[in-house]
Amino acid sequence: EYYVLGTGTPQENRCLSDLNAGEENKVSFVYCNFNKFLKNNPETVLSWIGILRKVPNSILCLLENPPSGIAHLRKYIKDVTSLTGHNDGKEINSRIHFLPWEANPFDHQMRNQDFCNVVLDSHPYNGHTTAQDALYGGVPIITRSDGEDMASRVTTSANKVLGLEELNTNSSSHLIDVAVKIGTDQKFFQTIRNHLIGTCLQQNPMHEYWDVQRYVKDFERGLKMSWERYVSGENPDHVFVTNDESKFISATSGSTKDEL
């Protein structure tokens, strides 16, 4: 057998590890992370190990980005599992697989739904473009929301707008708990996935997360509001663009002023 783009389930495609594996090697759930290796610090990798230990027959699908980093990642997993007394590095490594780089961005986006049940986000540097590829492919993302800068809260914001705040976690242990639940509770997983796909298919009106024209219009309004505050000599403050009309809401006084 061989993989054809746009076909098969994540369990069937097995991150291209062994498409001819028998029933005894059946995959229960596929976690993914398609970020560059440089985004994944030791704490993130340790959370992956913890999840694989708690979800039997699950696998982790990563991107060869770069291929030269694979040996270093595998060595780290072997070493850290030995140092912590688990000595299961070989078994954990056997459940981590790598997809080759796909130069065509549209084909890569489609691969998300073919290979991933759920994405495990990187922390503190989230996925950005890779996250949007996954979400639009109907693949939910579990992330951490305890970062303090923009790069660490990208997926937190996305999940909030999409109505998937139960996938926003506040620590590594919390992320592991949610990942284990979604990997072992089929009803919970399907509810989350169906909701996400529903936002992608929503029309009249289009869901606000996917409505790019609306986003551009609101962003322009926000820039105009900020500029008008600056030229009028007002102090910097938060600017909120509401669904109905643009308003400035002072973070200090709570007062509201209609857009000029």
Side-chain angles (χ1 to χ4, degrees):
E1 296 184 20
Y2 61 93
Y3 165 67
V4 177
L5 184 67
T7 64
T9 67
Q11 284 86 344
E12 292 169 341
N13 291 325
R14 304 171 61 90
C15 196
L16 299 183
S17 61
D18 186 357
L19 297 183
N20 297 304
E23 277 295 312
E24 67 276 7
N25 296 312
K26 187 175 181 179
V27 171
S28 65
F29 201 81
V30 184
Y31 299 98
C32 287
N33 181 299
F34 290 158
N35 294 330
K36 299 176 182 178
F37 289 162
L38 62 83
K39 287 191 176 185
N40 300 315
N41 62 13
E43 187 176 18
T44 296
V45 177
L46 288 173
S47 70
W48 297 345
I49 295 172
I51 293 164
L52 291 176
R53 283 177 177 149
K54 294 184 177 183
V55 183
N57 301 317
S58 62
I59 64 173
L60 175 63
C61 186
L62 305 176
L63 189 64
E64 293 180 347
N65 192 10
S68 60
I70 295 175
H72 299 291
L73 177 59
R74 291 206 183 280
K75 182 178 185 303
Y76 174 76
I77 291 172
K78 178 183 177 182
D79 292 346
V80 75
T81 52
S82 177
L83 287 172
T84 54
H86 288 88
N87 295 312
D88 58 353
K90 183 176 181 180
E91 193 269 336
I92 294 295
N93 267 318
S94 72
R95 293 162 62 192
I96 299 177
H97 308 286
F98 300 86
L99 286 180
W101 176 261
E102 172 55 67
N104 185 319
F106 301 103
D107 287 352
H108 176 64
Q109 182 187 55
M110 185 177 292
R111 292 198 304 179
N112 279 274
Q113 62 194 35
D114 294 348
F115 290 108
C116 308
N117 291 128
V118 161
V119 166
L120 302 174
D121 203 11
S122 301
H123 178 83
Y125 192 172
N126 290 176
H128 289 60
T129 303
T130 55
Q132 308 320 305
D133 286 343
L135 291 171
Y136 197 64
V139 180
I141 306 177
I142 305 173
T143 192
R144 284 179 55 175
S145 303
D146 52 326
E148 297 183 353
D149 52 33
M150 185 279 291
S152 66
R153 300 181 65 82
V154 172
T155 308
T156 293
S157 297
N159 283 343
K160 184 174 182 179
V161 176
L162 290 166
L164 296 171
E165 291 185 81
E166 56 264 72
L167 302 184
N168 292 340
T169 66
N170 54 35
S171 66
S172 179
S173 60
H174 188 194
L175 182 142
I176 292 173
D177 289 344
V178 173
V180 170
K181 179 179 180 180
I182 207 169
T184 56
D185 186 336
Q186 183 67 16
K187 183 178 179 180
F188 177 61
F189 167 65
Q190 286 298 338
T191 298
I192 292 293
R193 184 170 185 269
N194 290 342
H195 177 85
L196 174 58
I197 292 174
T199 68
C200 299
L201 299 178
Q202 179 181 316
Q203 298 182 27
N204 300 318
M206 181 183 294
H207 190 280
E208 59 184 331
Y209 188 81
W210 304 112
D211 192 342
V212 177
Q213 290 184 338
R214 173 180 170 178
Y215 175 83
V216 171
K217 183 178 180 181
D218 288 346
F219 186 60
E220 289 174 342
R221 287 177 177 173
L223 292 176
K224 180 182 177 183
M225 293 157 61
S226 299
W227 174 252
E228 289 172 342
R229 285 185 55 79
Y230 172 75
V231 298
S232 64
E234 297 181 68
N235 293 326
D237 210 332
H238 295 292
V239 168
F240 295 85
V241 180
T242 67
N243 291 336
D244 299 325
E245 61 179 328
S246 300
K247 295 178 180 293
F248 167 74
I249 304 177
S250 172
T252 53
S253 66
S255 61
T256 302
K257 184 172 70 174
D258 291 342
E259 178 186 16
L260 297 175

